[in-house]
Amino acid sequence: MSIRSETEAFDHQGPGERAVGLTARGAWNAFVMLLTREILRFGRIWVQTVLPPMIMTALYFVVFGHLIGPRIGVIDGVPYIQYLVPGLILMSVITQSYANSVSSFFGAKFARHVEELLVSPMPNWLIIIGYVAGGVARGLTVGGAVTLVALLFAELSVYSVLNLFGVALMTSTLFALLGLINGVYATHFDHISIVPTFVLMPLTYLGGVFYSINMLSEFWQQASLYNPVLYIINGFRYAMLGITDVPVWSTYGILAVGILAAYLYALRLFRKGIGLRG
Amino acid sequence: MSNATNKAVEIYELEKTYEGGTRALKGIELTIDEGDFFALLGPNGAGKSTTIGILCSLVNKSHGTVRVFGHDLDRDRAWVKSQIGVVPQEFNFNQFEPVEEVVINQGGFYGMTRKAAKKRAHELLKQLGLYEKREGMARALSGGMKRRLMIARALVHSPRMLILDEPTAGVDIELRRGMWDFLTQINRQGTTIILTTHYLEEAEALCRNIAIINEGRIVEHSSMRNLLAKLSQETFVLYAREPVESLPEMPVVGSRLVDEETIEVDLTRGQELTGVFDVLRGHGIVIERMKNKTNRLEELFLRLVQDDEAAKQESTEGRS
């Protein structure tokens, strides 16, 4: 049997011919392969990736919604348990999108199989998009699962479907990108939990998941406006309940600028090979 | 500039200084013909892996020009990557993926459809004796099987050049021979192969051309035949059929009786073993079998590296 296969990916180009690493079709195949690998990865370990946020959300609903919620009453005309739903869903989207990129990319670096990508003709932007798409897939999958859990405790409503998917998708993209950047810089397992624990969690908890900033003193209201997560959660709350503490355009503004900045930064890291190439 | 060439690799003035100031490469010049089976040898830390890392785009060069099949690495990096398959020294695949997925994924990263990558992966896994293991997790494979898996992965996109960094390290002799046959077959079909190895007999058995690198410099770059011709003395071990009491005078540099049935003879270039056999036969000593005692390449390798270090020492002393 011939060792050279009849099923070659592309014809070998000779000297002087246009030197293309991957055709558009080849780039698409590479993207699909990377995304599929990412989905299979978190799917294989669903007990670690999908189940815990569902259980945690159920506990939030039991403790904050059922036990404490009736004492709080309504916020902006909405029962407290229902007010919690958008924030809890988006909190899962944020943490899971981030966690997928950072753990998958650092894991690939640690086990060195990131080299499979680095030696391949995949351009840097395609590797970034592939990992981000994987993070988005996990973020939205878990977001959907958490929504199902929420159905058991509260009445769900959707005020604007377009905004619902727009904010969820952009949020997931932004945090998947940030997770990837964290993964590029990380050199120890500790490094992949520092940002989620000391940056992401405080910003999320203080970003209006559990309360409206109108309940805070003037000083803390102003201080909260410096928290970008506040705008994102309120944008999602607007999409579900039609209420928000900040203008909706600011949600999209923060997300768009954040995605662009994070993408360009990630691209720079890959181009320079920081944390990737000697 | 024309790209017309039959060179697989052209390296000019290649330098690499790592962060922290370590100069791994100090101006390497190297050319490798297309279709060659080429050995890159050198002691640990000599710069072999750095050179290979630069070729594979895993290491950024500090200075110099690298061309692969006539294409400049800086200008046509993606194209160059598409022409190369890499088998690194250490296992670098996801151990928690099924065996066939490791190969299929890599095909995808080179632009193959899943269907084409799967077909090709199955062909290679069959050729490398891993087909029955294809659905099991990669971590369950033995060390030798993992090495073969990395070869399958490197070949999934049918590269024009295969780079192997210590491919048979830790592999048992039988398996090593099997891998040699496989690599020879691929090379005969036109794939250029670059090999680094610590098993110098491996380089001698497989490679037509060779470069020896020491402390970031190429100290020797020639054909294997020319290199071995530089060897001035070799020792052969002869096994006599009957016990030998004493050795006769022989036309060699040196001879000795190791035990009553084992004779060692030292020959320089130009001396022939036939003369030795004639003398022994004349004294009633029949030789049943023989072997070359020294690893010739190993001896040369050590000498070249030592010469290089002595030259540097002299140069340093001269300057001071």
Side-chain angles (χ1 to χ4, degrees):
Chain A
M1 177 189 270
S2 166
I3 286 180
R4 275 209 182 280
S5 170
E6 297 303 316
T7 59
E8 295 191 9
F10 41 78
D11 293 330
H12 291 136
Q13 288 137 309
E17 293 173 34
R18 188 165 160 253
V20 176
L22 283 178
T23 59
R25 179 72 187 273
W28 173 251
N29 291 338
F31 169 76
V32 170
M33 198 66 86
L34 181 52
L35 175 58
T36 306
R37 190 178 82 168
E38 284 301 291
I39 292 172
L40 289 174
R41 190 194 70 85
F42 77 75
R44 269 197 293 266
I45 49 171
W46 65 274
V47 175
Q48 295 171 45
T49 54
V50 181
L51 196 58
M54 293 174 75
I55 293 170
M56 194 176 287
T57 305
L59 292 171
Y60 276 128
F61 277 119
V62 168
V63 175
F64 290 101
H66 274 289
L67 301 179
I68 299 173
R71 298 186 182 214
I72 296 173
V74 295
I75 298 179
D76 294 338
V78 177
Y80 185 63
I81 194 164
Q82 209 169 335
Y83 186 87
L84 281 177
V85 172
L88 290 178
I89 293 173
L90 208 65
M91 192 165 75
S92 296
V93 171
I94 288 171
T95 53
Q96 296 303 311
S97 302
Y98 192 97
N100 196 74
S101 297
V102 69
S103 60
S104 176
F105 196 79
F106 177 70
K109 265 176 51 174
F110 185 77
R112 295 185 57 178
H113 60 264
V114 72
E115 290 175 5
E116 292 176 342
L117 293 164
L118 298 179
V119 301
S120 82
M122 283 179 78
N124 293 327
W125 61 265
L126 193 58
I127 297 174
I128 293 170
I129 288 176
Y131 268 100
V132 169
V136 169
R138 176 160 152 194
L140 297 185
T141 301
V142 173
V146 166
T147 305
L148 293 177
V149 172
L151 273 170
L152 302 172
F153 297 93
E155 210 173 287
L156 291 190
S157 61
V158 177
Y159 181 76
S160 165
V161 175
L162 201 63
N163 281 317
L164 186 85
F165 285 105
V167 174
L169 188 65
M170 288 178 77
T171 302
S172 187
T173 303
L174 173 60
F175 284 93
L177 272 165
L178 295 174
L180 181 64
I181 291 169
N182 188 169
V184 170
Y185 276 118
T187 52
H188 300 287
F189 277 102
D190 292 348
H191 297 166
I192 67 173
S193 61
I194 287 173
V195 175
T197 307
F198 296 105
V199 180
L200 217 51
M201 195 189 290
L203 286 179
T204 311
Y205 276 59
L206 299 173
V209 172
F210 301 100
Y211 57 84
S212 162
I213 58 167
N214 295 326
M215 298 162 71
L216 304 176
S217 66
E218 181 62 26
F219 173 80
W220 287 111
Q221 276 189 39
Q222 290 303 314
S224 295
L225 292 176
Y226 289 98
N227 179 358
V229 177
L230 174 85
Y231 297 84
I232 298 168
I233 287 173
N234 271 278
F236 197 65
R237 183 169 287 132
Y238 172 79
M240 289 193 81
L241 304 173
I243 54 173
T244 175
D245 294 340
V246 295
V248 175
W249 64 262
S250 64
T251 302
Y252 284 106
I254 294 263
L255 286 170
V257 170
I259 288 170
L260 185 65
Y263 170 73
L264 292 176
Y265 193 73
L267 199 58
R268 182 176 167 275
L269 291 179
F270 272 76
R271 276 191 184 144
K272 291 201 171 268
I274 294 168
L276 300 170
R277 281 188 284 270
Chain B
M1 188 180 70
S2 168
N3 282 326
T5 178
N6 58 353
K7 298 290 179 197
V9 176
E10 296 162 88
I11 293 175
Y12 304 106
E13 298 173 10
L14 185 62
E15 293 179 15
K16 173 64 187 176
T17 305
Y18 285 101
E19 266 181 51
T22 305
R23 283 187 74 200
L25 302 179
K26 300 166 184 170
I28 279 186
E29 307 270 338
L30 189 65
T31 54
I32 299 170
D33 290 337
E34 185 163 9
D36 200 357
F37 206 137
F38 190 89
L40 187 60
L41 304 185
N44 287 334
K48 301 186 300 289
S49 293
T50 300
T51 307
I52 280 177
I54 290 170
L55 270 175
C56 304
S57 297
L58 288 173
V59 175
N60 292 327
K61 64 185 168 65
S62 305
H63 176 77
T65 303
V66 176
R67 280 204 282 272
V68 175
F69 298 113
H71 289 263
D72 187 88
L73 181 65
D74 294 329
R75 197 189 61 191
D76 297 332
R77 187 175 295 277
W79 185 88
V80 167
K81 284 176 170 184
S82 73
Q83 307 299 304
I84 298 175
V86 192
V87 182
Q89 190 175 347
E90 291 175 33
F91 302 132
N92 71 340
F93 50 84
N94 189 346
Q95 308 253 353
F96 297 95
E97 273 178 354
V99 169
E100 67 175 4
E101 287 298 319
V102 171
V103 185
I104 293 169
N105 283 337
Q106 191 72 356
F109 301 153
Y110 280 83
M112 298 171 81
T113 61
R114 185 170 182 83
K115 190 179 170 189
K118 189 169 184 175
K119 187 178 173 195
R120 175 76 173 139
H122 284 188
E123 283 173 18
L124 287 164
L125 292 174
K126 278 178 191 165
Q127 286 165 8
L128 287 155
L130 293 171
Y131 186 72
E132 301 305 320
K133 304 274 184 186
R134 69 189 183 283
E135 289 174 357
M137 286 291 163
R139 69 173 181 273
L141 297 179
S142 67
M145 286 176 174
K146 284 177 179 169
R147 294 224 168 267
R148 281 181 277 158
L149 173 59
M150 291 203 295
I151 292 176
R153 184 186 59 178
L155 290 170
V156 67
H157 62 292
S158 306
R160 283 168 77 182
M161 180 160 71
L162 182 65
I163 298 176
L164 303 115
D165 195 0
E166 306 275 354
T168 55
V171 172
D172 66 49
I173 293 168
E174 190 184 350
L175 194 57
R176 194 183 306 165
R177 298 276 170 179
M179 283 167 75
W180 289 6
D181 291 344
F182 183 77
L183 295 174
T184 304
Q185 196 185 346
I186 294 170
N187 178 246
R188 280 194 191 126
Q189 291 175 350
T191 305
T192 306
I193 297 182
I194 301 174
L195 177 84
T196 78
T197 179
H198 273 109
Y199 300 111
L200 300 176
E201 57 161 331
E202 185 166 84
E204 191 175 346
L206 293 173
C207 300
R208 287 188 288 279
N209 291 293
I210 185 169
I212 295 177
I213 185 169
N214 186 45
E215 293 188 6
R217 290 189 187 85
I218 299 289
V219 296
E220 183 68 38
H221 182 195
S222 69
S223 69
M224 188 67 75
R225 183 180 294 180
N226 285 343
L227 188 70
L228 292 174
K230 290 182 180 179
L231 192 69
S232 58
Q233 186 172 309
E234 285 183 88
T235 301
F236 290 89
V237 183
L238 313 179
Y239 298 95
R241 185 183 290 168
E242 305 290 339
V244 179
E245 284 182 10
S246 62
L247 282 179
E249 281 291 318
M250 287 186 284
V252 293
V253 174
S255 62
R256 62 209 149 265
L257 202 54
V258 178
D259 60 45
E260 58 181 12
E261 289 173 353
T262 310
I263 304 162
E264 279 187 4
V265 292
D266 306 321
L267 279 80
T268 55
R269 270 170 72 187
Q271 291 182 325
E272 291 177 358
L273 272 170
T274 47
V276 174
F277 290 130
D278 288 344
V279 172
L280 291 173
R281 199 178 298 114
H283 286 77
I285 301 170
V286 178
I287 300 301
E288 207 166 38
R289 57 198 168 85
M290 61 170 279
K291 71 172 186 183
N292 189 328
K293 184 186 179 186
T294 49
N295 184 324
R296 298 178 300 157
L297 191 57
E298 191 166 297
E299 193 176 299
L300 256 178
F301 173 76
L302 290 171
R303 203 179 70 197
L304 284 164
V305 169
Q306 281 161 3
D307 288 350
D308 180 53
E309 276 161 13
K312 266 184 293 186
Q313 182 83 18
E314 271 180 29
S315 157
T316 310
E317 284 168 2
R319 274 202 299 274
S320 61

